[in-house]
Coordinates of all heavy atoms in Angstrom, one line a residue:
M104 N -0.3 4.7 3.8 CA 0.6 5.9 3.8 C 2.0 5.3 3.9 O 2.5 4.4 4.5 CB 0.4 6.6 5.2 CG -0.8 7.5 5.2 SD -1.3 8.0 6.9 CE -1.2 9.7 6.7
A105 N 2.8 6.1 3.2 CA 4.2 5.9 3.2 C 4.9 6.4 4.5 O 4.0 7.3 5.2 CB 5.0 6.7 2.0
L106 N 5.9 6.1 4.9 CA 6.6 6.6 6.1 C 7.6 7.6 5.7 O 8.0 7.8 4.6 CB 7.2 5.5 6.9 CG 6.3 4.8 7.9 CD1 5.1 4.2 7.3 CD2 7.2 3.7 8.7
M107 N 8.0 8.5 6.6 CA 9.0 9.5 6.4 C 10.1 9.5 7.6 O 9.8 9.0 8.6 CB 8.3 10.8 6.1 CG 7.6 11.2 7.5 SD 6.8 12.9 7.1 CE 8.2 14.0 7.5
I108 N 11.3 10.0 7.2 CA 12.2 10.2 8.3 C 12.3 11.7 8.6 O 12.5 12.5 7.7 CB 13.7 9.6 7.8 CG1 13.4 8.1 7.6 CG2 14.7 10.0 8.8 CD1 14.7 7.4 7.0
T109 N 12.4 11.9 9.8 CA 12.4 13.4 10.4 C 13.9 13.8 10.6 O 14.8 12.9 10.6 CB 11.6 13.6 11.6 OG1 12.3 12.9 12.6 CG2 10.2 13.0 11.5
D110 N 14.1 15.2 10.9 CA 15.5 15.5 11.0 C 16.1 15.2 12.4 O 17.2 15.6 12.7 CB 15.6 17.0 10.9 CG 14.6 17.8 11.8 OD1 14.1 17.2 12.7 OD2 14.6 19.1 11.6
E111 N 15.4 14.3 13.2 CA 16.0 13.7 14.4 C 16.8 12.5 14.0 O 17.5 12.1 14.9 CB 14.8 13.2 15.4 CG 14.0 14.4 15.9 CD 12.6 13.9 16.7 OE1 12.8 13.4 17.8 OE2 11.7 14.0 16.0
C112 N 16.9 12.1 12.8 CA 17.6 11.0 12.3 C 19.1 11.3 12.7 O 19.7 12.5 12.5 CB 17.6 10.9 10.7 SG 18.6 9.6 10.1
I113 N 19.8 10.2 13.2 CA 21.3 10.4 13.6 C 22.2 9.6 12.6 O 23.3 9.3 13.0 CB 21.4 9.9 15.0 CG1 20.9 8.3 15.1 CG2 20.8 10.7 16.0 CD1 21.3 7.7 16.5
N114 N 21.6 9.2 11.4 CA 22.4 8.6 10.4 C 23.1 7.3 10.8 O 24.3 7.1 10.6 CB 23.4 9.5 9.8 CG 22.7 10.6 9.0 OD1 21.6 10.4 8.6 ND2 23.3 11.8 8.9
C115 N 22.3 6.6 11.6 CA 23.0 5.4 12.2 C 23.1 4.2 11.2 O 23.7 3.2 11.5 CB 22.2 4.8 13.5 SG 20.6 4.1 13.1
D116 N 22.4 4.4 10.1 CA 22.6 3.3 9.0 C 21.8 2.0 9.1 O 21.8 1.1 8.5 CB 24.0 2.9 8.6 CG 25.0 4.1 8.5 OD1 24.4 5.2 8.0 OD2 26.0 4.0 8.8
V117 N 21.1 1.8 10.3 CA 20.5 0.5 10.5 C 19.3 0.2 9.7 O 18.9 -0.9 9.4 CB 20.3 0.2 12.1 CG1 21.7 0.2 12.8 CG2 19.3 1.1 12.6
C118 N 18.5 1.3 9.4 CA 17.3 1.0 8.8 C 17.4 0.6 7.2 O 16.6 -0.1 6.8 CB 16.4 2.3 8.9 SG 17.0 3.8 8.1
E119 N 18.5 1.3 6.7 CA 18.5 1.1 5.2 C 18.5 -0.4 4.7 O 17.8 -0.9 3.8 CB 19.8 1.8 4.6 CG 20.0 1.7 3.1 CD 21.2 2.3 2.5 OE1 22.1 2.5 3.5 OE2 21.3 2.7 1.5
P120 N 19.3 -1.2 5.3 CA 19.3 -2.6 4.8 C 18.1 -3.4 5.2 O 18.0 -4.4 4.7 CB 20.7 -3.2 5.5 CG 20.9 -2.3 6.6 CD 20.4 -1.0 6.3
E121 N 17.4 -2.9 6.2 CA 16.1 -3.7 6.6 C 15.0 -3.4 5.7 O 14.0 -4.3 5.6 CB 15.7 -3.2 8.1 CG 16.7 -3.4 9.0 CD 17.1 -4.8 9.2 OE1 16.3 -5.8 9.1 OE2 18.4 -5.1 9.5
C122 N 14.9 -2.5 4.8 CA 13.9 -2.2 3.9 C 13.7 -3.1 2.8 O 14.5 -3.2 2.0 CB 14.0 -0.8 3.3 SG 12.5 -0.4 2.3
P123 N 12.6 -3.8 2.7 CA 12.5 -4.9 1.6 C 12.2 -4.3 0.4 O 12.3 -5.0 -0.7 CB 11.2 -5.7 2.2 CG 10.3 -4.7 3.0 CD 11.4 -3.8 3.6
N124 N 11.9 -3.0 0.3 CA 11.6 -2.4 -1.0 C 12.7 -1.4 -1.5 O 12.6 -0.7 -2.6 CB 10.3 -1.5 -1.0 CG 9.1 -2.5 -0.6 OD1 9.0 -3.5 -1.1 ND2 8.1 -1.9 0.1
D125 N 13.8 -1.5 -0.8 CA 15.0 -0.5 -1.2 C 14.4 0.9 -1.2 O 14.8 1.7 -2.2 CB 15.5 -0.8 -2.5 CG 16.2 -2.3 -2.6 OD1 16.7 -2.6 -1.4 OD2 16.2 -2.9 -3.5
A126 N 13.6 1.3 -0.3 CA 13.0 2.7 -0.4 C 13.8 3.7 0.5 O 13.7 4.9 0.4 CB 11.6 2.5 0.2
I127 N 14.8 3.1 1.2 CA 15.5 4.1 2.1 C 17.0 4.3 1.6 O 17.5 3.5 1.1 CB 15.7 3.5 3.5 CG1 14.3 3.2 4.1 CG2 16.5 4.4 4.5 CD1 14.4 2.4 5.5
S128 N 17.2 5.6 1.5 CA 18.7 5.8 1.0 C 19.1 7.2 1.7 O 18.3 7.9 2.2 CB 18.7 6.1 -0.6 OG 17.9 7.1 -0.8
M129 N 20.5 7.3 1.5 CA 21.1 8.5 2.1 C 20.7 9.8 1.3 O 20.9 9.8 0.1 CB 22.6 8.4 2.3 CG 23.3 9.5 3.1 SD 22.6 9.5 4.8 CE 23.3 11.1 5.3
G130 N 20.2 10.8 2.0 CA 19.9 12.1 1.3 C 21.0 13.0 1.5 O 22.1 12.7 1.8
L131 N 20.7 14.3 1.2 CA 21.8 15.3 1.4 C 22.3 15.3 2.9 O 23.5 15.5 3.1 CB 21.2 16.6 1.0 CG 21.0 16.8 -0.6 CD1 20.3 18.2 -0.7 CD2 22.2 16.6 -1.4
A132 N 21.5 15.3 3.9 CA 21.9 15.3 5.2 C 21.6 14.1 6.0 O 22.4 13.8 7.0 CB 21.4 16.7 6.0
I133 N 20.3 13.6 5.9 CA 19.9 12.5 6.6 C 19.3 11.5 5.7 O 19.2 11.7 4.5 CB 18.9 12.8 7.6 CG1 17.7 13.6 7.0 CG2 19.4 13.7 8.8 CD1 16.5 13.8 7.8
Y134 N 18.9 10.2 6.2 CA 18.4 9.3 5.4 C 16.9 9.8 4.9 O 16.3 10.5 5.7 CB 18.3 8.0 6.1 CG 19.6 7.1 6.0 CD1 20.6 7.4 6.9 CD2 19.7 6.2 5.0 CE1 21.9 6.7 6.7 CE2 20.9 5.5 4.9 CZ 22.0 5.7 5.7 OH 23.1 5.1 5.6
E135 N 16.5 9.2 3.8 CA 15.3 9.5 3.3 C 14.4 8.4 2.8 O 15.1 7.3 2.4 CB 15.4 10.5 2.0 CG 16.0 11.8 2.4 CD 16.3 12.7 1.2 OE1 16.3 12.0 0.1 OE2 16.5 13.8 1.3
I136 N 13.1 8.4 2.7 CA 12.3 7.3 2.3 C 11.6 7.7 1.0 O 11.0 8.8 0.9 CB 11.2 7.0 3.4 CG1 11.9 6.3 4.7 CG2 10.2 5.9 2.6 CD1 11.0 6.0 5.6
D137 N 11.8 6.9 0.0 CA 11.1 7.2 -1.4 C 9.7 6.8 -1.1 O 9.4 5.6 -1.1 CB 11.7 6.5 -2.5 CG 11.1 6.7 -3.8 OD1 10.0 7.2 -3.8 OD2 11.8 6.3 -4.8
A138 N 8.8 7.7 -1.0 CA 7.3 7.4 -0.7 C 6.7 6.7 -1.8 O 5.7 5.9 -1.5 CB 6.5 8.7 -0.6
H139 N 7.2 6.5 -3.0 CA 6.7 5.8 -4.2 C 7.1 4.3 -3.9 O 6.5 3.4 -4.6 CB 7.2 6.3 -5.5 CG 6.8 7.6 -5.6 ND1 5.4 8.0 -5.8 CD2 7.3 8.8 -5.8 CE1 5.2 9.3 -6.1 NE2 6.4 9.9 -6.0
K140 N 8.0 4.0 -3.0 CA 8.5 2.6 -2.9 C 8.0 2.1 -1.5 O 8.1 0.8 -1.3 CB 10.0 2.5 -3.0 CG 10.6 2.7 -4.3 CD 12.1 2.5 -4.3 CE 12.8 2.6 -5.7 NZ 14.2 2.6 -5.7
C141 N 7.7 3.0 -0.5 CA 7.4 2.5 0.7 C 6.0 1.9 0.9 O 5.0 2.7 0.4 CB 7.5 3.6 1.7 SG 6.9 3.1 3.5
T142 N 5.8 0.7 1.3 CA 4.4 0.2 1.4 C 4.1 -0.1 2.9 O 3.1 -0.7 3.2 CB 4.4 -1.1 0.8 OG1 5.3 -2.1 1.4 CG2 4.7 -1.1 -0.7
E143 N 4.9 0.6 3.8 CA 4.7 0.3 5.3 C 5.0 -1.0 5.5 O 4.6 -1.7 6.5 CB 3.3 0.7 5.7 CG 2.9 2.1 5.9 CD 1.5 2.3 6.5 OE1 1.3 1.6 7.5 OE2 0.9 3.1 5.9
C144 N 5.8 -1.7 4.5 CA 6.2 -3.2 4.8 C 4.9 -4.0 4.4 O 5.1 -5.3 4.5 CB 6.9 -3.5 6.0 SG 8.6 -2.9 6.1
V145 N 3.8 -3.5 4.0 CA 2.7 -4.4 3.6 C 3.3 -5.3 2.4 O 3.9 -4.8 1.5 CB 1.5 -3.6 3.1 CG1 0.5 -4.3 2.5 CG2 0.9 -2.9 4.4
G146 N 2.8 -6.6 2.5 CA 3.2 -7.6 1.6 C 4.6 -8.3 2.0 O 4.7 -9.5 1.6
H147 N 5.3 -7.7 2.8 CA 6.4 -8.3 3.2 C 6.5 -8.8 4.7 O 6.8 -9.9 5.1 CB 7.7 -7.4 3.1 CG 8.0 -7.3 1.6 ND1 8.8 -8.1 0.8 CD2 7.7 -6.0 0.9 CE1 8.9 -7.6 -0.3 NE2 8.3 -6.4 -0.4
Y148 N 6.0 -7.8 5.6 CA 6.1 -8.0 7.0 C 4.9 -7.5 7.8 O 4.2 -6.6 7.2 CB 7.4 -7.3 7.7 CG 8.7 -7.7 7.2 CD1 9.4 -7.0 6.2 CD2 9.1 -9.0 7.6 CE1 10.5 -7.5 5.8 CE2 10.4 -9.5 7.2 CZ 11.2 -8.6 6.1 OH 12.2 -9.1 5.7
D149 N 4.5 -7.8 8.9 CA 3.3 -7.3 9.7 C 3.6 -5.8 10.2 O 2.6 -5.1 10.3 CB 3.1 -8.2 10.8 CG 2.6 -9.6 10.4 OD1 2.1 -9.6 9.2 OD2 2.7 -10.6 11.2
V150 N 4.8 -5.5 10.4 CA 5.1 -4.2 11.0 C 6.2 -3.5 10.2 O 7.1 -4.2 9.6 CB 5.4 -4.3 12.4 CG1 4.2 -4.6 13.2 CG2 6.6 -5.1 12.7
P151 N 6.3 -2.2 10.0 CA 7.4 -1.5 9.3 C 8.7 -1.9 9.9 O 8.9 -1.6 11.2 CB 7.0 0.0 9.4 CG 5.5 -0.1 9.8 CD 5.2 -1.2 10.4
Q152 N 9.6 -2.4 9.1 CA 10.9 -2.9 9.8 C 11.8 -1.7 10.0 O 12.5 -1.8 11.0 CB 11.6 -3.8 8.6 CG 10.8 -5.0 8.4 CD 10.6 -6.0 9.6 OE1 11.5 -6.5 10.0 NE2 9.4 -6.0 10.2
C153 N 11.7 -0.6 9.4 CA 12.6 0.5 9.7 C 12.3 1.0 11.1 O 13.1 1.3 11.9 CB 12.4 1.6 8.7 SG 10.7 2.2 8.3
R154 N 10.9 1.1 11.3 CA 10.6 1.5 12.7 C 11.0 0.5 13.7 O 11.4 1.1 14.8 CB 9.0 1.6 12.9 CG 8.4 2.9 12.3 CD 7.1 3.0 12.6 NE 6.4 4.3 12.4 CZ 5.1 4.5 12.4 NH1 4.4 3.4 12.6 NH2 4.6 5.7 12.2
E155 N 11.0 -0.6 13.6 CA 11.5 -1.6 14.5 C 12.9 -1.4 15.0 O 13.2 -1.7 16.1 CB 11.4 -3.0 13.9 CG 9.9 -3.5 13.7 CD 9.2 -3.9 15.0 OE1 9.6 -4.7 15.7 OE2 8.3 -3.2 15.5
V156 N 13.7 -1.0 14.0 CA 15.1 -0.9 14.4 C 15.6 0.5 14.8 O 16.7 0.8 15.2 CB 16.0 -1.5 13.1 CG1 15.6 -2.9 13.0 CG2 15.9 -0.6 11.9
C157 N 14.7 1.5 14.4 CA 15.3 3.0 14.5 C 15.5 3.2 16.0 O 14.5 3.3 16.8 CB 14.2 3.9 14.0 SG 14.8 5.6 14.1
P158 N 16.7 3.6 16.4 CA 17.0 3.9 17.9 C 16.4 5.2 18.4 O 16.3 5.2 19.6 CB 18.4 3.8 17.9 CG 18.8 4.2 16.7 CD 17.9 3.7 15.7
V159 N 16.0 6.1 17.5 CA 15.5 7.3 18.0 C 14.1 7.7 17.7 O 13.5 8.7 17.9 CB 16.3 8.5 17.5 CG1 17.7 8.5 18.1 CG2 16.6 8.5 16.0
D160 N 13.4 6.6 17.0 CA 11.9 6.7 16.7 C 11.6 8.0 16.0 O 10.8 8.8 16.4 CB 11.2 6.7 18.2 CG 9.7 6.3 18.0 OD1 9.4 5.8 17.0 OD2 9.0 6.8 18.9
C161 N 12.3 8.1 14.8 CA 12.0 9.3 14.1 C 11.5 8.9 12.6 O 11.7 9.6 11.6 CB 13.4 10.1 13.8 SG 14.6 9.1 12.8
I162 N 10.6 8.0 12.5 CA 10.1 7.4 11.3 C 8.5 7.4 11.4 O 7.9 6.4 11.7 CB 10.6 6.2 10.9 CG1 12.1 6.1 11.0 CG2 10.1 5.9 9.4 CD1 12.7 4.7 10.5
P163 N 7.8 8.6 11.4 CA 6.4 8.7 11.4 C 5.7 8.5 10.0 O 6.5 8.4 9.0 CB 6.1 10.2 11.9 CG 7.3 11.0 11.2 CD 8.4 10.0 11.3
L164 N 4.3 8.3 10.0 CA 3.7 8.3 8.8 C 3.9 9.6 8.1 O 3.9 10.7 8.7 CB 2.2 8.1 9.1 CG 1.8 6.8 9.5 CD1 0.4 6.7 10.1 CD2 2.1 5.6 8.5
N165 N 3.9 9.5 6.7 CA 4.1 10.7 5.8 C 2.6 11.3 5.5 O 1.9 10.5 4.7 CB 4.8 10.5 4.6 CG 5.1 11.6 3.7 OD1 4.4 12.5 3.8 ND2 6.2 11.5 2.9
P166 N 2.2 12.3 6.1 CA 0.7 12.8 5.9 C 0.6 13.1 4.3 O -0.7 13.3 4.0 CB 0.6 13.9 6.7 CG 1.9 14.4 7.0 CD 2.9 13.3 6.9
E167 N 1.5 13.3 3.6 CA 1.3 13.7 2.2 C 0.9 12.3 1.2 O 0.6 12.7 0.0 CB 2.6 14.4 1.7 CG 2.7 15.8 2.3 CD 4.0 16.5 1.7 OE1 4.4 16.1 0.6 OE2 4.4 17.5 2.3
Y168 N 1.2 11.2 1.9 CA 0.9 10.1 1.1 C -0.1 9.1 1.8 O 0.4 8.2 2.4 CB 2.3 9.3 0.8 CG 3.1 10.1 -0.2 CD1 4.0 11.1 0.3 CD2 3.0 9.9 -1.5 CE1 4.8 11.8 -0.6 CE2 3.8 10.6 -2.4 CZ 4.7 11.4 -1.9 OH 5.5 12.2 -2.7
V169 N -1.4 9.6 1.7 CA -2.4 8.8 2.3 C -2.8 7.7 1.4 O -3.2 7.8 0.3 CB -3.6 9.7 2.7 CG1 -4.7 8.9 3.4 CG2 -3.2 10.9 3.6
E170 N -2.7 6.4 1.9 CA -2.9 5.2 1.2 C -3.7 4.2 2.2 O -3.3 4.1 3.3 CB -1.8 4.5 0.7 CG -1.0 5.4 -0.4 CD 0.4 5.0 -0.5 OE1 1.2 5.0 0.5 OE2 0.8 4.7 -1.6
S171 N -4.7 3.5 1.6 CA -5.3 2.4 2.3 C -4.6 1.1 2.3 O -3.5 1.0 1.5 CB -6.6 2.1 1.8 OG -6.5 1.5 0.5
Q172 N -4.9 0.2 3.0 CA -4.1 -1.1 3.0 C -4.2 -1.8 1.6 O -3.2 -2.3 1.1 CB -4.9 -2.1 4.1 CG -4.5 -1.6 5.5 CD -3.1 -1.9 5.8 OE1 -2.5 -3.0 5.7 NE2 -2.5 -0.9 6.3
D173 N -5.3 -1.7 1.0 CA -5.5 -2.2 -0.4 C -4.5 -1.4 -1.4 O -4.0 -2.2 -2.2 CB -6.9 -2.1 -0.9 CG -7.9 -3.0 -0.1 OD1 -7.5 -3.9 0.4 OD2 -9.1 -2.9 -0.3
Q174 N -4.5 -0.2 -1.1 CA -3.5 0.6 -2.1 C -2.1 0.2 -1.8 O -1.3 0.0 -2.7 CB -3.8 2.1 -1.9 CG -5.0 2.6 -2.6 CD -5.3 4.1 -2.1 OE1 -5.2 4.4 -1.0 NE2 -5.6 4.8 -3.2
L175 N -1.8 -0.1 -0.5 CA -0.4 -0.4 -0.3 C -0.1 -1.8 -0.8 O 1.0 -2.1 -1.3 CB -0.2 -0.4 1.4 CG -0.2 1.0 1.9 CD1 -0.2 0.8 3.5 CD2 1.1 1.8 1.5
M176 N -1.1 -2.7 -0.7 CA -0.9 -4.1 -1.3 C -0.7 -3.9 -2.8 O 0.1 -4.6 -3.4 CB -2.1 -4.9 -0.8 CG -1.9 -6.3 -1.3 SD -0.3 -7.1 -0.6 CE -0.9 -7.7 1.0
A177 N -1.5 -3.1 -3.4 CA -1.4 -2.9 -4.9 C 0.0 -2.3 -5.2 O 0.7 -2.7 -6.2 CB -2.5 -2.0 -5.4
K178 N 0.5 -1.4 -4.4 CA 1.9 -0.8 -4.7 C 2.9 -2.0 -4.6 O 3.8 -2.1 -5.3 CB 2.0 0.1 -3.5 CG 3.1 1.2 -3.8 CD 3.2 2.1 -2.5 CE 3.8 3.3 -2.6 NZ 3.7 4.1 -1.4
Y179 N 2.7 -2.8 -3.5 CA 3.6 -4.1 -3.2 C 3.7 -4.8 -4.6 O 4.8 -5.3 -4.9 CB 3.1 -4.8 -2.0 CG 3.7 -6.2 -1.9 CD1 5.0 -6.5 -1.7 CD2 2.8 -7.2 -2.4 CE1 5.4 -7.7 -1.7 CE2 3.3 -8.5 -2.3 CZ 4.5 -8.8 -2.0 OH 5.0 -10.1 -2.0
H180 N 2.4 -5.2 -5.0 CA 2.5 -6.0 -6.3 C 3.1 -5.3 -7.4 O 3.9 -5.9 -8.2 CB 1.1 -6.4 -6.5 CG 0.5 -7.5 -5.7 ND1 1.0 -8.7 -5.5 CD2 -0.6 -7.5 -4.8 CE1 0.4 -9.4 -4.7 NE2 -0.6 -8.6 -4.2
Q181 N 2.9 -4.0 -7.6 CA 3.5 -3.4 -8.7 C 5.0 -3.3 -8.6 O 5.7 -3.6 -9.4 CB 3.0 -1.8 -8.5 CG 3.3 -1.1 -9.9 CD 2.7 0.4 -9.6 OE1 2.7 0.9 -8.5 NE2 2.6 1.2 -10.7
L182 N 5.5 -3.1 -7.3 CA 7.1 -3.1 -7.0 C 7.5 -4.4 -7.4 O 8.7 -4.6 -7.9 CB 7.2 -2.6 -5.6 CG 7.1 -1.1 -5.3 CD1 7.1 -1.0 -3.9 CD2 8.2 -0.3 -6.1
T183 N 6.8 -5.5 -6.8 CA 7.4 -6.8 -7.0 C 7.4 -7.2 -8.4 O 8.4 -7.9 -9.0 CB 6.4 -7.8 -6.2 OG1 6.3 -7.3 -4.9 CG2 7.0 -9.3 -6.2
N184 N 6.3 -6.9 -9.3 CA 6.4 -7.2 -10.7 C 7.5 -6.5 -11.4 O 8.2 -7.1 -12.3 CB 5.0 -6.7 -11.4 CG 4.0 -7.7 -10.9 OD1 4.3 -8.8 -10.5 ND2 2.8 -7.2 -11.0
K185 N 7.8 -5.3 -11.0 CA 9.0 -4.5 -11.6 C 10.3 -5.3 -11.3 O 11.0 -5.4 -12.2 CB 9.1 -3.1 -10.9 CG 8.4 -2.0 -11.8 CD 8.8 -0.8 -11.2 CE 7.6 0.4 -11.7 NZ 7.7 1.5 -10.9
K186 N 10.3 -5.7 -10.1 CA 11.6 -6.5 -9.7 C 11.8 -7.7 -10.6 O 12.8 -8.0 -11.1 CB 11.6 -6.9 -8.2 CG 12.2 -5.8 -7.3 CD 12.2 -6.4 -5.9 CE 12.4 -5.3 -4.9 NZ 12.3 -5.7 -3.6
I187 N 10.7 -8.4 -10.9 CA 10.7 -9.7 -11.7 C 11.1 -9.3 -13.0 O 12.0 -10.1 -13.5 CB 9.4 -10.4 -11.5 CG1 9.2 -10.9 -10.2 CG2 9.4 -11.5 -12.5 CD1 7.8 -11.4 -9.8
K188 N 10.5 -8.3 -13.6 CA 10.9 -7.8 -14.9 C 12.4 -7.5 -15.1 O 13.0 -7.8 -16.1 CB 10.1 -6.7 -15.4 CG 8.6 -7.1 -15.9 CD 7.8 -5.9 -16.2 CE 6.4 -6.3 -16.3 NZ 5.4 -5.1 -16.1
I189 N 12.9 -6.8 -14.1 CA 14.3 -6.4 -14.2 C 15.3 -7.5 -14.2 O 16.2 -7.6 -14.9 CB 14.7 -5.3 -13.0 CG1 13.9 -4.1 -13.4 CG2 16.1 -5.0 -12.9 CD1 13.8 -3.1 -12.2
S190 N 14.9 -8.5 -13.3 CA 15.9 -9.6 -13.0 C 15.8 -10.7 -14.1 O 15.1 -10.6 -15.0 CB 15.8 -10.2 -11.7 OG 14.5 -10.6 -11.5
Ligands
SF4_459 FE1 10.9 0.3 3.9 FE2 9.1 -0.8 5.3 FE3 10.2 1.4 6.1 FE4 8.6 1.6 4.2 S1 8.1 0.9 6.1 S2 10.6 2.5 4.3 S3 8.9 -0.3 3.1 S4 11.2 -0.7 5.9
SF4_460 FE1 18.0 7.5 11.0 FE2 16.5 6.0 12.4 FE3 17.3 5.2 10.0 FE4 19.1 5.4 12.0 S1 17.4 3.8 11.9 S2 19.5 6.1 9.8 S3 18.3 7.1 13.0 S4 16.0 6.9 10.4

Protein backbone atom coordinates (compact mmCIF):
# COMPACT_ATOMS: atom_id res chain seq x y z
CA MET A 1 0.00 0.00 0.00
CA ALA A 2 1.12 3.52 -0.60
CA LEU A 3 0.99 5.92 2.30
CA MET A 4 -1.00 9.14 2.48
CA ILE A 5 -0.77 12.41 4.39
CA THR A 6 -3.84 13.55 6.31
CA ASP A 7 -4.99 17.11 7.00
CA GLU A 8 -3.32 16.94 10.39
CA CYS A 9 -0.10 17.78 8.52
CA ILE A 10 1.54 20.94 9.89
CA ASN A 11 3.75 21.50 6.81
CA CYS A 12 6.92 21.09 8.82
CA ASP A 13 8.88 20.09 5.67
CA VAL A 14 10.88 17.31 7.29
CA CYS A 15 9.42 14.34 5.40
CA GLU A 16 9.97 15.59 1.85
CA PRO A 17 13.78 15.24 1.75
CA GLU A 18 13.64 11.84 3.47
CA CYS A 19 11.67 10.11 0.70
CA PRO A 20 13.96 7.96 -1.47
CA ASN A 21 11.40 7.93 -4.28
CA ASP A 22 10.69 11.68 -4.45
CA ALA A 23 7.06 10.81 -3.79
CA ILE A 24 6.38 13.68 -1.38
CA SER A 25 5.70 17.22 -2.51
CA MET A 26 3.81 20.29 -1.36
CA GLY A 27 0.19 20.25 -2.49
CA LEU A 28 -2.34 23.08 -2.46
CA ALA A 29 -2.55 23.25 1.33
CA ILE A 30 -0.50 20.43 2.81
CA TYR A 31 2.14 17.95 1.72
CA GLU A 32 1.00 15.07 -0.49
CA ILE A 33 2.28 11.61 -1.41
CA ASP A 34 2.19 10.45 -5.03
CA ALA A 35 0.80 6.95 -4.58
CA HIS A 36 2.39 5.86 -7.85
CA LYS A 37 5.85 6.57 -6.44
CA CYS A 38 5.45 5.45 -2.82
CA THR A 39 6.71 1.92 -2.11
CA GLU A 40 6.39 2.17 1.70
CA CYS A 41 10.17 2.55 1.30
CA VAL A 42 10.38 -1.11 0.21
CA GLY A 43 13.65 -1.60 -1.66
CA HIS A 44 15.34 1.26 0.18
CA TYR A 45 14.64 0.94 3.92
CA ASP A 46 13.04 -1.43 6.41
CA VAL A 47 10.50 1.14 7.57
CA PRO A 48 8.77 4.11 5.92
CA GLN A 49 11.14 7.03 6.39
CA CYS A 50 8.44 9.72 6.27
CA ARG A 51 6.65 8.11 9.19
CA GLU A 52 9.85 7.94 11.16
CA VAL A 53 10.30 11.71 11.05
CA CYS A 54 6.72 13.02 11.09
CA PRO A 55 6.18 14.85 14.40
CA VAL A 56 2.39 14.60 14.32
CA ASP A 57 1.99 11.02 13.09
CA CYS A 58 -0.26 11.92 10.18
CA ILE A 59 0.92 9.41 7.53
CA PRO A 60 -1.34 6.33 7.50
CA LEU A 61 -1.69 3.68 4.81
CA ASN A 62 -3.73 4.76 1.79
CA PRO A 63 -6.64 2.29 1.57
CA GLU A 64 -7.15 3.11 -2.11
CA TYR A 65 -3.78 1.61 -3.04
CA VAL A 66 -3.66 -1.94 -1.73
CA GLU A 67 -0.38 -3.61 -2.72
CA SER A 68 1.49 -6.70 -1.55
CA GLN A 69 5.18 -6.69 -0.62
CA ASP A 70 5.95 -8.28 -4.02
CA GLN A 71 4.01 -5.55 -5.82
CA LEU A 72 5.83 -2.86 -3.84
CA MET A 73 9.18 -4.42 -4.74
CA ALA A 74 8.15 -4.52 -8.42
CA LYS A 75 7.20 -0.84 -8.15
CA TYR A 76 10.60 -0.10 -6.62
CA HIS A 77 12.35 -1.82 -9.56
CA GLN A 78 10.19 0.06 -12.04
CA LEU A 79 11.01 3.41 -10.39
CA THR A 80 14.70 2.58 -10.16
CA ASN A 81 14.90 1.57 -13.82
CA LYS A 82 13.21 4.81 -14.78
CA LYS A 83 15.75 6.79 -12.77
CA ILE A 84 18.62 4.97 -14.49
CA LYS A 85 17.16 5.67 -17.94
CA ILE A 86 16.72 9.40 -17.21
CA SER A 87 20.23 9.94 -15.85
FE1 LIG B 1 8.40 8.09 0.42
FE2 LIG B 1 8.86 5.93 1.87
FE3 LIG B 1 7.13 7.77 2.74
FE4 LIG B 1 6.48 6.27 0.64
S1 LIG B 1 6.84 5.54 2.74
S2 LIG B 1 6.25 8.48 0.80
S3 LIG B 1 8.47 5.95 -0.35
S4 LIG B 1 9.33 8.04 2.46
FE1 LIG C 1 3.38 17.07 7.27
FE2 LIG C 1 4.34 15.13 8.80
FE3 LIG C 1 5.50 15.73 6.47
FE4 LIG C 1 5.69 17.40 8.53
S1 LIG C 1 6.54 15.32 8.42
S2 LIG C 1 5.25 17.95 6.39
S3 LIG C 1 3.69 17.15 9.48
S4 LIG C 1 3.44 14.91 6.76
